[in-house]
Amino acid sequence: MKNGADLLLAYPIGTLIGYFSVAILGLIVFLYCFEIVAKYKCWDEIGRGNIAAALATGGKIFGLCNVLRYSIESKTSIYDMMKWAFYGFLLLFIAYLLYEFLTPVFSVDEEIKRDNRSVGLISMLIPVSLSYVIGACLM
C-alpha cells in the first residue's frame, strides 16, 4: 500500500512539487547552518549593502542548489535524493569550515564582514566549484 507521498510522486506535477519542496527546505536548513557558524549575520550584512557577504552567500546558495540538481538527476527515489543531497550539503559545510581554518593569515568571516570583496569572491567560487565535484561524485 502506497502512502500519500508516494501517490503524489506518481504524477509529474506531484514529482515537481515534492522535489521542489524538499529542495527549498534543504536550502533553508543548510543556509541556517552556515548562518550559525559565521561570525557575521549574512542577511544583515547583505541588507547593509555588503557585497562580499552577498557574494559569499550567493556562492553557498548556488553550491547547495547545484548539489540538489545532481542529487535529483541521479535519483531513484525522492528518499535517495534527500540522502545524497544531505551528504553533498555536509561536504560543502565541511569545506566551508576547512576554508576558514586553512586561511590562518586572516579570518575569512571577519574580512567578509569588512566587505573585503576579493575574499567574498573566493568565498563564492569555492562552494560553486566544489558543488560540481560533489555533483560528479553523485552521478
Side-chain angles (χ1 to χ4, degrees):
M1 180 156 198
K2 290 186 174 188
N3 64 30
D6 289 332
L7 288 173
L8 179 69
L9 294 171
Y11 300 96
I13 191 72
T15 302
L16 170 74
I17 292 167
Y19 283 101
F20 186 75
S21 300
V22 169
I24 293 298
L25 180 63
L27 188 61
I28 290 168
V29 167
F30 277 88
L31 279 175
Y32 180 72
C33 291
F34 283 117
E35 181 89 15
I36 289 173
V37 298
K39 295 176 183 159
Y40 61 95
K41 299 294 181 204
C42 302
W43 299 107
D44 291 346
E45 291 297 322
I46 292 168
R48 282 194 275 278
N50 184 327
I51 301 296
L55 288 168
T57 303
K60 291 170 191 148
I61 291 169
F62 182 92
L64 292 168
C65 287
N66 199 35
V67 167
L68 278 163
R69 171 190 165 276
Y70 281 106
S71 65
I72 290 169
E73 271 187 7
S74 65
K75 71 182 181 320
T76 54
S77 71
I78 196 165
Y79 309 109
D80 284 340
M81 173 267 195
M82 291 167 54
K83 174 181 71 176
W84 291 112
F86 174 79
Y87 292 144
F89 290 170
L90 193 60
L91 288 173
L92 280 178
F93 191 72
I94 290 167
Y96 169 79
L97 297 174
L98 284 173
Y99 171 50
E100 177 74 38
F101 177 72
L102 294 175
T103 51
V105 178
F106 57 85
S107 168
V108 172
D109 283 346
E110 289 187 23
E111 290 299 314
I112 289 173
K113 188 173 183 176
R114 281 183 252 196
D115 200 14
N116 183 333
R117 294 173 188 178
S118 58
V119 174
L121 179 62
I122 294 298
S123 297
M124 176 185 79
L125 292 173
I126 288 173
V128 167
S129 302
L130 287 176
S131 72
Y132 282 98
V133 174
I134 292 166
C137 295
L138 295 177
M139 297 301 287

